[in-house]
Amino acid sequence: MADRLVHELLVSGEESGRPVEEKGRREAAFRRLEMLGYRVGQGLVERFSRDRPRFTDTLDVIKFLCKDMWTLVFRKQIDNLKTNHRGVYVLTDNGFRPFARMSMASPSNTATRAQPFLWFPCGVIRGALASMSINATVQAEILDLPAAIFHIKTIAPKA
């Protein structure tokens, strides 16, 4: 899905006649994937958290994300949640579903080829947190397929 969207965006950029470099088009496609995920995350939280009591702190929000929302999106919970209690959270999914049937001929380009599949889930996480009034940055990394690691860094509101 991610590769197809990137390809469609690249082709549409070529048809417009604007000379845009390859890297810029890929970044635009990845940004669009993340923004789609952002909207999905916002919608899911608005729909599935309305019957719950208000969350008291950020850790409760992250736990909701790991247990309930991740189950809605990927049909399983996050395998591991780590925090330093200073606004940094690390979510580990050892069997990330979009990577479940993915294999590569050479392990050297595995992370590069699988990276586009992480933009949408990063957007889902960021959108869900934004919908619950938490401003954060989300980054993902791949160490070994099918595992995915998401780093969430909350940004304190300016006083």
PDB file of all heavy atoms in Angstrom, residues 102-140:
ATOM      1  N   MET A 102       6.518  -9.941   5.032  1.00  0.00           N
ATOM      2  CA  MET A 102       7.530  -9.255   4.242  1.00  0.00           C
ATOM      3  C   MET A 102       8.862  -9.996   4.367  1.00  0.00           C
ATOM      4  O   MET A 102       9.261 -10.388   5.454  1.00  0.00           O
ATOM      5  CB  MET A 102       7.687  -7.822   4.751  1.00  0.00           C
ATOM      6  CG  MET A 102       8.559  -6.959   3.893  1.00  0.00           C
ATOM      7  SD  MET A 102       8.681  -5.280   4.543  1.00  0.00           S
ATOM      8  CE  MET A 102       7.047  -4.662   4.209  1.00  0.00           C
ATOM      9  N   SER A 103       9.521 -10.192   3.243  1.00  0.00           N
ATOM     10  CA  SER A 103      10.855 -10.787   3.257  1.00  0.00           C
ATOM     11  C   SER A 103      11.701 -10.078   2.216  1.00  0.00           C
ATOM     12  O   SER A 103      11.194  -9.560   1.225  1.00  0.00           O
ATOM     13  CB  SER A 103      10.790 -12.280   2.975  1.00  0.00           C
ATOM     14  OG  SER A 103      10.306 -12.508   1.671  1.00  0.00           O
ATOM     15  N   MET A 104      12.965 -10.069   2.446  1.00  0.00           N
ATOM     16  CA  MET A 104      13.895  -9.406   1.541  1.00  0.00           C
ATOM     17  C   MET A 104      14.969 -10.394   1.110  1.00  0.00           C
ATOM     18  O   MET A 104      15.395 -11.245   1.887  1.00  0.00           O
ATOM     19  CB  MET A 104      14.573  -8.214   2.230  1.00  0.00           C
ATOM     20  CG  MET A 104      13.628  -7.142   2.659  1.00  0.00           C
ATOM     21  SD  MET A 104      12.972  -6.281   1.246  1.00  0.00           S
ATOM     22  CE  MET A 104      11.657  -5.393   2.014  1.00  0.00           C
ATOM     23  N   ALA A 105      15.416 -10.244  -0.129  1.00  0.00           N
ATOM     24  CA  ALA A 105      16.470 -11.110  -0.647  1.00  0.00           C
ATOM     25  C   ALA A 105      17.793 -10.828   0.059  1.00  0.00           C
ATOM     26  O   ALA A 105      18.513 -11.747   0.431  1.00  0.00           O
ATOM     27  CB  ALA A 105      16.622 -10.917  -2.151  1.00  0.00           C
ATOM     28  N   SER A 106      18.092  -9.565   0.255  1.00  0.00           N
ATOM     29  CA  SER A 106      19.321  -9.212   0.966  1.00  0.00           C
ATOM     30  C   SER A 106      18.968  -8.387   2.197  1.00  0.00           C
ATOM     31  O   SER A 106      18.204  -7.428   2.115  1.00  0.00           O
ATOM     32  CB  SER A 106      20.261  -8.421   0.056  1.00  0.00           C
ATOM     33  OG  SER A 106      19.689  -7.193  -0.284  1.00  0.00           O
ATOM     34  N   PRO A 107      19.506  -8.762   3.344  1.00  0.00           N
ATOM     35  CA  PRO A 107      19.168  -8.032   4.574  1.00  0.00           C
ATOM     36  C   PRO A 107      19.722  -6.614   4.622  1.00  0.00           C
ATOM     37  O   PRO A 107      19.324  -5.838   5.465  1.00  0.00           O
ATOM     38  CB  PRO A 107      19.775  -8.886   5.678  1.00  0.00           C
ATOM     39  CG  PRO A 107      20.640  -9.895   5.035  1.00  0.00           C
ATOM     40  CD  PRO A 107      20.347  -9.917   3.579  1.00  0.00           C
ATOM     41  N   SER A 108      20.609  -6.257   3.717  1.00  0.00           N
ATOM     42  CA  SER A 108      21.210  -4.923   3.762  1.00  0.00           C
ATOM     43  C   SER A 108      20.195  -3.812   3.461  1.00  0.00           C
ATOM     44  O   SER A 108      20.294  -2.724   4.001  1.00  0.00           O
ATOM     45  CB  SER A 108      22.380  -4.837   2.780  1.00  0.00           C
ATOM     46  OG  SER A 108      21.915  -5.038   1.467  1.00  0.00           O
ATOM     47  N   ASN A 109      19.220  -4.082   2.597  1.00  0.00           N
ATOM     48  CA  ASN A 109      18.254  -3.031   2.255  1.00  0.00           C
ATOM     49  C   ASN A 109      16.894  -3.238   2.905  1.00  0.00           C
ATOM     50  O   ASN A 109      15.934  -2.596   2.528  1.00  0.00           O
ATOM     51  CB  ASN A 109      18.108  -2.927   0.740  1.00  0.00           C
ATOM     52  CG  ASN A 109      17.455  -4.156   0.128  1.00  0.00           C
ATOM     53  OD1 ASN A 109      17.239  -5.162   0.796  1.00  0.00           O
ATOM     54  ND2 ASN A 109      17.154  -4.080  -1.148  1.00  0.00           N
ATOM     55  N   THR A 110      16.822  -4.094   3.887  1.00  0.00           N
ATOM     56  CA  THR A 110      15.552  -4.393   4.545  1.00  0.00           C
ATOM     57  C   THR A 110      14.942  -3.149   5.185  1.00  0.00           C
ATOM     58  O   THR A 110      13.778  -2.838   4.962  1.00  0.00           O
ATOM     59  CB  THR A 110      15.748  -5.487   5.611  1.00  0.00           C
ATOM     60  OG1 THR A 110      16.263  -6.653   4.983  1.00  0.00           O
ATOM     61  CG2 THR A 110      14.446  -5.806   6.308  1.00  0.00           C
ATOM     62  N   ALA A 111      15.722  -2.441   5.971  1.00  0.00           N
ATOM     63  CA  ALA A 111      15.200  -1.267   6.682  1.00  0.00           C
ATOM     64  C   ALA A 111      14.778  -0.173   5.698  1.00  0.00           C
ATOM     65  O   ALA A 111      13.753   0.473   5.885  1.00  0.00           O
ATOM     66  CB  ALA A 111      16.241  -0.733   7.644  1.00  0.00           C
ATOM     67  N   THR A 112      15.542  -0.001   4.644  1.00  0.00           N
ATOM     68  CA  THR A 112      15.211   1.026   3.653  1.00  0.00           C
ATOM     69  C   THR A 112      13.914   0.715   2.928  1.00  0.00           C
ATOM     70  O   THR A 112      13.079   1.593   2.725  1.00  0.00           O
ATOM     71  CB  THR A 112      16.354   1.154   2.627  1.00  0.00           C
ATOM     72  OG1 THR A 112      17.568   1.363   3.333  1.00  0.00           O
ATOM     73  CG2 THR A 112      16.100   2.302   1.684  1.00  0.00           C
ATOM     74  N   ARG A 113      13.727  -0.540   2.561  1.00  0.00           N
ATOM     75  CA  ARG A 113      12.524  -0.934   1.832  1.00  0.00           C
ATOM     76  C   ARG A 113      11.291  -0.978   2.726  1.00  0.00           C
ATOM     77  O   ARG A 113      10.173  -0.766   2.254  1.00  0.00           O
ATOM     78  CB  ARG A 113      12.727  -2.313   1.177  1.00  0.00           C
ATOM     79  CG  ARG A 113      13.806  -2.376   0.131  1.00  0.00           C
ATOM     80  CD  ARG A 113      13.411  -1.630  -1.136  1.00  0.00           C
ATOM     81  NE  ARG A 113      12.178  -2.089  -1.697  1.00  0.00           N
ATOM     82  CZ  ARG A 113      12.046  -2.801  -2.786  1.00  0.00           C
ATOM     83  NH1 ARG A 113      13.112  -3.126  -3.467  1.00  0.00           N
ATOM     84  NH2 ARG A 113      10.864  -3.162  -3.213  1.00  0.00           N
ATOM     85  N   ALA A 114      11.457  -1.267   4.008  1.00  0.00           N
ATOM     86  CA  ALA A 114      10.316  -1.379   4.926  1.00  0.00           C
ATOM     87  C   ALA A 114       9.934  -0.043   5.561  1.00  0.00           C
ATOM     88  O   ALA A 114       8.830   0.090   6.088  1.00  0.00           O
ATOM     89  CB  ALA A 114      10.622  -2.401   6.016  1.00  0.00           C
ATOM     90  N   GLN A 115      10.803   0.942   5.511  1.00  0.00           N
ATOM     91  CA  GLN A 115      10.552   2.236   6.157  1.00  0.00           C
ATOM     92  C   GLN A 115       9.251   2.909   5.718  1.00  0.00           C
ATOM     93  O   GLN A 115       8.546   3.472   6.557  1.00  0.00           O
ATOM     94  CB  GLN A 115      11.744   3.168   5.937  1.00  0.00           C
ATOM     95  CG  GLN A 115      11.709   4.410   6.783  1.00  0.00           C
ATOM     96  CD  GLN A 115      11.890   4.127   8.263  1.00  0.00           C
ATOM     97  OE1 GLN A 115      12.588   3.202   8.636  1.00  0.00           O
ATOM     98  NE2 GLN A 115      11.239   4.908   9.091  1.00  0.00           N
ATOM     99  N   PRO A 116       8.861   2.880   4.432  1.00  0.00           N
ATOM    100  CA  PRO A 116       7.604   3.539   4.055  1.00  0.00           C
ATOM    101  C   PRO A 116       6.374   2.978   4.758  1.00  0.00           C
ATOM    102  O   PRO A 116       5.382   3.686   4.928  1.00  0.00           O
ATOM    103  CB  PRO A 116       7.509   3.295   2.543  1.00  0.00           C
ATOM    104  CG  PRO A 116       8.906   3.103   2.103  1.00  0.00           C
ATOM    105  CD  PRO A 116       9.605   2.443   3.244  1.00  0.00           C
ATOM    106  N   PHE A 117       6.440   1.758   5.219  1.00  0.00           N
ATOM    107  CA  PHE A 117       5.308   1.153   5.900  1.00  0.00           C
ATOM    108  C   PHE A 117       5.157   1.657   7.334  1.00  0.00           C
ATOM    109  O   PHE A 117       4.177   1.340   7.998  1.00  0.00           O
ATOM    110  CB  PHE A 117       5.439  -0.378   5.897  1.00  0.00           C
ATOM    111  CG  PHE A 117       5.296  -0.970   4.531  1.00  0.00           C
ATOM    112  CD1 PHE A 117       6.399  -1.131   3.714  1.00  0.00           C
ATOM    113  CD2 PHE A 117       4.055  -1.344   4.049  1.00  0.00           C
ATOM    114  CE1 PHE A 117       6.274  -1.666   2.440  1.00  0.00           C
ATOM    115  CE2 PHE A 117       3.917  -1.878   2.785  1.00  0.00           C
ATOM    116  CZ  PHE A 117       5.025  -2.035   1.973  1.00  0.00           C
ATOM    117  N   LEU A 118       6.109   2.436   7.820  1.00  0.00           N
ATOM    118  CA  LEU A 118       6.046   2.969   9.180  1.00  0.00           C
ATOM    119  C   LEU A 118       5.512   4.393   9.243  1.00  0.00           C
ATOM    120  O   LEU A 118       5.174   4.876  10.311  1.00  0.00           O
ATOM    121  CB  LEU A 118       7.431   2.916   9.828  1.00  0.00           C
ATOM    122  CG  LEU A 118       7.977   1.515  10.075  1.00  0.00           C
ATOM    123  CD1 LEU A 118       9.394   1.594  10.613  1.00  0.00           C
ATOM    124  CD2 LEU A 118       7.090   0.759  11.042  1.00  0.00           C
ATOM    125  N   TRP A 119       5.417   5.077   8.119  1.00  0.00           N
ATOM    126  CA  TRP A 119       4.939   6.458   8.135  1.00  0.00           C
ATOM    127  C   TRP A 119       3.476   6.544   8.561  1.00  0.00           C
ATOM    128  O   TRP A 119       3.108   7.420   9.340  1.00  0.00           O
ATOM    129  CB  TRP A 119       5.144   7.110   6.765  1.00  0.00           C
ATOM    130  CG  TRP A 119       6.573   7.459   6.526  1.00  0.00           C
ATOM    131  CD1 TRP A 119       7.509   6.689   5.896  1.00  0.00           C
ATOM    132  CD2 TRP A 119       7.253   8.639   6.941  1.00  0.00           C
ATOM    133  NE1 TRP A 119       8.719   7.329   5.886  1.00  0.00           N
ATOM    134  CE2 TRP A 119       8.594   8.537   6.516  1.00  0.00           C
ATOM    135  CE3 TRP A 119       6.849   9.781   7.612  1.00  0.00           C
ATOM    136  CZ2 TRP A 119       9.531   9.528   6.760  1.00  0.00           C
ATOM    137  CZ3 TRP A 119       7.787  10.767   7.844  1.00  0.00           C
ATOM    138  CH2 TRP A 119       9.107  10.623   7.422  1.00  0.00           C
ATOM    139  N   PHE A 120       2.644   5.671   8.050  1.00  0.00           N
ATOM    140  CA  PHE A 120       1.224   5.694   8.408  1.00  0.00           C
ATOM    141  C   PHE A 120       1.016   5.415   9.903  1.00  0.00           C
ATOM    142  O   PHE A 120       0.315   6.186  10.575  1.00  0.00           O
ATOM    143  CB  PHE A 120       0.445   4.703   7.540  1.00  0.00           C
ATOM    144  CG  PHE A 120      -1.030   4.714   7.792  1.00  0.00           C
ATOM    145  CD1 PHE A 120      -1.840   5.698   7.253  1.00  0.00           C
ATOM    146  CD2 PHE A 120      -1.622   3.737   8.587  1.00  0.00           C
ATOM    147  CE1 PHE A 120      -3.200   5.713   7.490  1.00  0.00           C
ATOM    148  CE2 PHE A 120      -2.983   3.743   8.822  1.00  0.00           C
ATOM    149  CZ  PHE A 120      -3.774   4.736   8.280  1.00  0.00           C
ATOM    150  N   PRO A 121       1.601   4.347  10.484  1.00  0.00           N
ATOM    151  CA  PRO A 121       1.419   4.130  11.925  1.00  0.00           C
ATOM    152  C   PRO A 121       1.974   5.258  12.789  1.00  0.00           C
ATOM    153  O   PRO A 121       1.396   5.567  13.829  1.00  0.00           O
ATOM    154  CB  PRO A 121       2.164   2.825  12.201  1.00  0.00           C
ATOM    155  CG  PRO A 121       2.309   2.164  10.899  1.00  0.00           C
ATOM    156  CD  PRO A 121       2.289   3.226   9.863  1.00  0.00           C
ATOM    157  N   CYS A 122       3.061   5.889  12.353  1.00  0.00           N
ATOM    158  CA  CYS A 122       3.570   7.053  13.101  1.00  0.00           C
ATOM    159  C   CYS A 122       2.537   8.173  13.109  1.00  0.00           C
ATOM    160  O   CYS A 122       2.322   8.828  14.130  1.00  0.00           O
ATOM    161  CB  CYS A 122       4.878   7.555  12.488  1.00  0.00           C
ATOM    162  SG  CYS A 122       6.305   6.554  12.872  1.00  0.00           S
ATOM    163  N   GLY A 123       1.886   8.368  11.985  1.00  0.00           N
ATOM    164  CA  GLY A 123       0.834   9.372  11.912  1.00  0.00           C
ATOM    165  C   GLY A 123      -0.360   9.012  12.776  1.00  0.00           C
ATOM    166  O   GLY A 123      -0.955   9.882  13.417  1.00  0.00           O
ATOM    167  N   VAL A 124      -0.719   7.723  12.819  1.00  0.00           N
ATOM    168  CA  VAL A 124      -1.827   7.275  13.672  1.00  0.00           C
ATOM    169  C   VAL A 124      -1.519   7.591  15.133  1.00  0.00           C
ATOM    170  O   VAL A 124      -2.363   8.122  15.864  1.00  0.00           O
ATOM    171  CB  VAL A 124      -2.101   5.768  13.481  1.00  0.00           C
ATOM    172  CG1 VAL A 124      -3.073   5.256  14.534  1.00  0.00           C
ATOM    173  CG2 VAL A 124      -2.646   5.492  12.091  1.00  0.00           C
ATOM    174  N   ILE A 125      -0.309   7.281  15.564  1.00  0.00           N
ATOM    175  CA  ILE A 125       0.082   7.544  16.954  1.00  0.00           C
ATOM    176  C   ILE A 125       0.051   9.045  17.241  1.00  0.00           C
ATOM    177  O   ILE A 125      -0.515   9.496  18.239  1.00  0.00           O
ATOM    178  CB  ILE A 125       1.480   6.970  17.238  1.00  0.00           C
ATOM    179  CG1 ILE A 125       1.456   5.443  17.172  1.00  0.00           C
ATOM    180  CG2 ILE A 125       1.992   7.432  18.598  1.00  0.00           C
ATOM    181  CD1 ILE A 125       2.828   4.795  17.188  1.00  0.00           C
ATOM    182  N   ARG A 126       0.653   9.833  16.358  1.00  0.00           N
ATOM    183  CA  ARG A 126       0.707  11.280  16.565  1.00  0.00           C
ATOM    184  C   ARG A 126      -0.682  11.903  16.565  1.00  0.00           C
ATOM    185  O   ARG A 126      -0.998  12.778  17.380  1.00  0.00           O
ATOM    186  CB  ARG A 126       1.591  11.913  15.489  1.00  0.00           C
ATOM    187  CG  ARG A 126       2.176  13.249  15.872  1.00  0.00           C
ATOM    188  CD  ARG A 126       3.228  13.705  14.886  1.00  0.00           C
ATOM    189  NE  ARG A 126       2.702  13.889  13.540  1.00  0.00           N
ATOM    190  CZ  ARG A 126       2.081  14.992  13.126  1.00  0.00           C
ATOM    191  NH1 ARG A 126       1.883  15.977  13.948  1.00  0.00           N
ATOM    192  NH2 ARG A 126       1.652  15.087  11.884  1.00  0.00           N
ATOM    193  N   GLY A 127      -1.558  11.437  15.667  1.00  0.00           N
ATOM    194  CA  GLY A 127      -2.922  11.948  15.617  1.00  0.00           C
ATOM    195  C   GLY A 127      -3.722  11.587  16.854  1.00  0.00           C
ATOM    196  O   GLY A 127      -4.496  12.397  17.371  1.00  0.00           O
ATOM    197  N   ALA A 128      -3.544  10.355  17.333  1.00  0.00           N
ATOM    198  CA  ALA A 128      -4.245   9.929  18.542  1.00  0.00           C
ATOM    199  C   ALA A 128      -3.807  10.765  19.738  1.00  0.00           C
ATOM    200  O   ALA A 128      -4.641  11.201  20.544  1.00  0.00           O
ATOM    201  CB  ALA A 128      -3.986   8.446  18.802  1.00  0.00           C
ATOM    202  N   LEU A 129      -2.513  10.992  19.860  1.00  0.00           N
ATOM    203  CA  LEU A 129      -2.009  11.796  20.977  1.00  0.00           C
ATOM    204  C   LEU A 129      -2.470  13.248  20.860  1.00  0.00           C
ATOM    205  O   LEU A 129      -2.855  13.858  21.864  1.00  0.00           O
ATOM    206  CB  LEU A 129      -0.484  11.719  21.028  1.00  0.00           C
ATOM    207  CG  LEU A 129       0.100  10.352  21.379  1.00  0.00           C
ATOM    208  CD1 LEU A 129       1.615  10.368  21.229  1.00  0.00           C
ATOM    209  CD2 LEU A 129      -0.302   9.923  22.770  1.00  0.00           C
ATOM    210  N   ALA A 130      -2.459  13.786  19.657  1.00  0.00           N
ATOM    211  CA  ALA A 130      -2.907  15.171  19.464  1.00  0.00           C
ATOM    212  C   ALA A 130      -4.380  15.319  19.811  1.00  0.00           C
ATOM    213  O   ALA A 130      -4.797  16.342  20.365  1.00  0.00           O
ATOM    214  CB  ALA A 130      -2.652  15.609  18.032  1.00  0.00           C
ATOM    215  N   SER A 131      -5.162  14.301  19.508  1.00  0.00           N
ATOM    216  CA  SER A 131      -6.582  14.348  19.819  1.00  0.00           C
ATOM    217  C   SER A 131      -6.837  14.334  21.326  1.00  0.00           C
ATOM    218  O   SER A 131      -7.874  14.796  21.787  1.00  0.00           O
ATOM    219  CB  SER A 131      -7.293  13.164  19.162  1.00  0.00           C
ATOM    220  OG  SER A 131      -8.669  13.250  19.356  1.00  0.00           O
ATOM    221  N   MET A 132      -5.869  13.820  22.072  1.00  0.00           N
ATOM    222  CA  MET A 132      -5.979  13.803  23.534  1.00  0.00           C
ATOM    223  C   MET A 132      -5.107  14.880  24.170  1.00  0.00           C
ATOM    224  O   MET A 132      -4.670  14.759  25.311  1.00  0.00           O
ATOM    225  CB  MET A 132      -5.622  12.415  24.064  1.00  0.00           C
ATOM    226  CG  MET A 132      -6.662  11.382  23.675  1.00  0.00           C
ATOM    227  SD  MET A 132      -6.392   9.764  24.389  1.00  0.00           S
ATOM    228  CE  MET A 132      -5.334   9.026  23.168  1.00  0.00           C
ATOM    229  N   SER A 133      -4.833  15.934  23.409  1.00  0.00           N
ATOM    230  CA  SER A 133      -4.121  17.134  23.865  1.00  0.00           C
ATOM    231  C   SER A 133      -2.678  16.873  24.280  1.00  0.00           C
ATOM    232  O   SER A 133      -2.172  17.500  25.211  1.00  0.00           O
ATOM    233  CB  SER A 133      -4.873  17.800  25.027  1.00  0.00           C
ATOM    234  OG  SER A 133      -6.169  18.126  24.621  1.00  0.00           O
ATOM    235  N   ILE A 134      -2.023  15.948  23.598  1.00  0.00           N
ATOM    236  CA  ILE A 134      -0.611  15.693  23.860  1.00  0.00           C
ATOM    237  C   ILE A 134       0.163  15.961  22.579  1.00  0.00           C
ATOM    238  O   ILE A 134      -0.046  15.291  21.570  1.00  0.00           O
ATOM    239  CB  ILE A 134      -0.374  14.237  24.329  1.00  0.00           C
ATOM    240  CG1 ILE A 134      -1.108  13.992  25.641  1.00  0.00           C
ATOM    241  CG2 ILE A 134       1.120  13.956  24.474  1.00  0.00           C
ATOM    242  CD1 ILE A 134      -1.085  12.563  26.092  1.00  0.00           C
ATOM    243  N   ASN A 135       1.023  16.945  22.623  1.00  0.00           N
ATOM    244  CA  ASN A 135       1.857  17.272  21.478  1.00  0.00           C
ATOM    245  C   ASN A 135       3.120  16.414  21.566  1.00  0.00           C
ATOM    246  O   ASN A 135       3.813  16.422  22.579  1.00  0.00           O
ATOM    247  CB  ASN A 135       2.210  18.762  21.505  1.00  0.00           C
ATOM    248  CG  ASN A 135       2.800  19.221  20.209  1.00  0.00           C
ATOM    249  OD1 ASN A 135       2.799  18.506  19.214  1.00  0.00           O
ATOM    250  ND2 ASN A 135       3.325  20.437  20.218  1.00  0.00           N
ATOM    251  N   ALA A 136       3.411  15.666  20.516  1.00  0.00           N
ATOM    252  CA  ALA A 136       4.535  14.740  20.554  1.00  0.00           C
ATOM    253  C   ALA A 136       5.135  14.551  19.170  1.00  0.00           C
ATOM    254  O   ALA A 136       4.492  14.810  18.156  1.00  0.00           O
ATOM    255  CB  ALA A 136       4.075  13.385  21.099  1.00  0.00           C
ATOM    256  N   THR A 137       6.376  14.077  19.167  1.00  0.00           N
ATOM    257  CA  THR A 137       7.007  13.638  17.929  1.00  0.00           C
ATOM    258  C   THR A 137       7.098  12.120  17.989  1.00  0.00           C
ATOM    259  O   THR A 137       7.316  11.543  19.057  1.00  0.00           O
ATOM    260  CB  THR A 137       8.420  14.229  17.759  1.00  0.00           C
ATOM    261  OG1 THR A 137       9.240  13.802  18.845  1.00  0.00           O
ATOM    262  CG2 THR A 137       8.376  15.735  17.694  1.00  0.00           C
ATOM    263  N   VAL A 138       6.920  11.486  16.843  1.00  0.00           N
ATOM    264  CA  VAL A 138       6.955  10.028  16.774  1.00  0.00           C
ATOM    265  C   VAL A 138       7.945   9.634  15.690  1.00  0.00           C
ATOM    266  O   VAL A 138       7.869  10.130  14.566  1.00  0.00           O
ATOM    267  CB  VAL A 138       5.559   9.442  16.456  1.00  0.00           C
ATOM    268  CG1 VAL A 138       5.617   7.932  16.399  1.00  0.00           C
ATOM    269  CG2 VAL A 138       4.536   9.900  17.479  1.00  0.00           C
ATOM    270  N   GLN A 139       8.865   8.762  16.043  1.00  0.00           N
ATOM    271  CA  GLN A 139       9.826   8.220  15.094  1.00  0.00           C
ATOM    272  C   GLN A 139       9.780   6.710  15.188  1.00  0.00           C
ATOM    273  O   GLN A 139       9.518   6.157  16.254  1.00  0.00           O
ATOM    274  CB  GLN A 139      11.238   8.706  15.398  1.00  0.00           C
ATOM    275  CG  GLN A 139      11.406  10.198  15.264  1.00  0.00           C
ATOM    276  CD  GLN A 139      12.791  10.654  15.666  1.00  0.00           C
ATOM    277  OE1 GLN A 139      13.451  10.007  16.455  1.00  0.00           O
ATOM    278  NE2 GLN A 139      13.214  11.767  15.108  1.00  0.00           N
ATOM    279  N   ALA A 140      10.033   6.053  14.079  1.00  0.00           N
ATOM    280  CA  ALA A 140      10.009   4.594  14.056  1.00  0.00           C
ATOM    281  C   ALA A 140      11.328   4.075  13.528  1.00  0.00           C
ATOM    282  O   ALA A 140      12.003   4.726  12.730  1.00  0.00           O
ATOM    283  CB  ALA A 140       8.863   4.105  13.188  1.00  0.00           C
TER     284      ALA A 140
END
